[in-house]
Amino acid sequence: MEDQEIEQAAELFLDLWQENFRQWALERDLLPHRDLAALIGVAVGVGDSDDPAPK
Amino acid sequence: MTRRPSDHLLPFSAEALVKGPRPLALHLANGLSVWREAGSGAAHLRTGTAGWHKAVKDPARSLRSLVRSEDDWRRLVAAVRRRAEGRSAEMLEGINAYLAHPYERPASDAITALEIGSCRLHDFGGAGAPILLVPSLINPHHVLDLMPGRSLTAFLKAAGYRPFLVEWYNPGPEELTFGVSDFVMQRLLPFLDHVGAVAGAAVPVIGYCMGGTLTVALAARAADRVSRLVLVAAPWDFATDKPPAGRKYARVMAETLAQLPDDMPLPVDAVQAFFTSVDPTLSDRKFRAFGNMDPESEAAHFFVALERWANTGAPLPRQVAEDTLIGWYRENRPARGAWHVDGSPVELGDIRCPVWIAAPEQDRLVPQASAYAVAAGLPDAVCHDPGAGHVGMMVGSRAESGLWQPMLDWLRA
């Protein structure tokens, strides 16, 4: 990939990355920091579940 | 040791100086933790989309498919880390710019018409027909008179009304002992009677958010003194399919209340933490956007005005917290006909005036269905969707066309 493509992909990733947690908050109505931290943990590969936030 | 209500006053007055966002540590933790881990998230994307919400899984997979070589992944992760650090810095710069912004809210033209305890009735004057405006108990009243061009009271005055606005968000020693019923009977009712005496007749009443729910009780208890009732995003049914944000945490909040010292009110930061949980990414996005605004622009002034309003709060009296968190959110007393005000249930059948209910579909704090539910007990009520969010409908760019003007048309009809 060209440098410019890498930079564009990085920007896109960051937008998706943040939107991911906004979507979880939308679905769950509320997303306290504890749940946000748990979701981040899964998305970086240190969590133990695909869907750790409380129902 | 049992604390007297007055013991709580000193720290609370200091809290009023905080410009927010509050609780600051929570806003920073939410925003910065997302960016701090973004590089690791990019590296992990290579192995799959665990933890990704279904709404963004496909775009994430598409992005992954574009990155093919080992070197591309290494460079992407490095670029994500660098840019994430940049976004963190932008958020902090935005918060700093907000805190340093010189905006001061313009002095109000209103005079204090009546003061009871720590609550005030503001009279905006003029020769028009008196109308009573009732905001939420949680945030300051001036969301209904935020700034020029973004003021429902100014709009109503220009349309020929004489607005009277209730200020009751900052409880004094007496109000700290109040429950919801006390606020209705010992504050709202005398204010209504004052406005009615000025008018020499029953008057229209506008209630916003929690203030709207309280005006339902007011209109039931003083049916002969309310000529028309406007309810704006006023929650009523707390057990709809999409309940008001917070219902599922009502049990936790109730347990939190039980841990507090006797009669200690619910701290303002506990209330603000609840709002933060509605969207933990919001502070980052809005403060980064603010950092890129011209600080002299109307948009920047509006941002600061609204943010300071949202971050100005006071502790919720203990009994009010219990009445709402337990009685409303957990037990759904209003919609079950089991909400007691002045010793007896609030019956919608006691309301005799026309009622107009405004509730946006996109309101995340008070779902439309919760607000519209009151219409089930008010056969002639008119429902209206203002087409904006919970606060945006009141002060946003579409407030006049989406809420104020339709409200005025109904009041005049």
Side-chain angles (χ1 to χ4, degrees), chain B residues 251-340:
Chain B
R251 183 183 300 276
V252 176
M253 296 289 273
E255 290 169 359
T256 301
L257 281 178
Q259 304 291 324
L260 297 177
D262 290 349
D263 86 359
M264 181 180 175
L266 186 65
V268 63
D269 275 355
V271 179
Q272 293 288 350
F274 163 77
F275 291 124
T276 305
S277 302
V278 173
D279 181 357
T281 71
L282 181 61
S283 287
D284 168 81
R285 287 183 285 115
K286 69 183 183 183
F287 280 104
R288 282 194 294 123
F290 176 71
N292 289 318
M293 284 183 195
D294 172 2
E296 298 303 316
S297 64
E298 197 274 344
H301 282 237
F302 173 47
F303 178 93
V304 175
L306 190 57
E307 197 64 22
R308 288 192 184 157
W309 165 77
N311 285 290
T312 303
L316 204 56
R318 179 65 163 268
Q319 189 58 51
V320 172
E322 293 182 6
D323 289 347
T324 53
L325 289 170
I326 298 173
W328 292 8
Y329 276 94
R330 198 165 80 185
E331 300 177 354
N332 194 26
R333 288 186 187 176
R336 291 196 299 110
W339 175 33
H340 284 65

Side-chain angles (χ1 to χ4, degrees), chain B residues 231-247:
Chain B
L231 303 174
V232 181
W236 186 254
D237 189 340
F238 293 79
T240 54
D241 288 344
K242 181 175 172 51
R247 189 185 66 164

Side-chain angles (χ1 to χ4, degrees), chain B residues 322-379:
Chain B
E322 293 182 6
D323 289 347
T324 53
L325 289 170
I326 298 173
W328 292 8
Y329 276 94
R330 198 165 80 185
E331 300 177 354
N332 194 26
R333 288 186 187 176
R336 291 196 299 110
W339 175 33
H340 284 65
V341 169
D342 197 28
S344 59
V346 176
E347 303 279 0
L348 295 177
D350 290 339
I351 297 174
R352 297 202 293 271
C353 66
V355 180
W356 192 76
I357 304 165
E361 193 277 333
Q362 62 212 79
D363 191 332
R364 292 202 58 207
L365 289 174
V366 179
Q368 190 179 57
S370 174
Y372 279 179
V374 73
L378 301 166

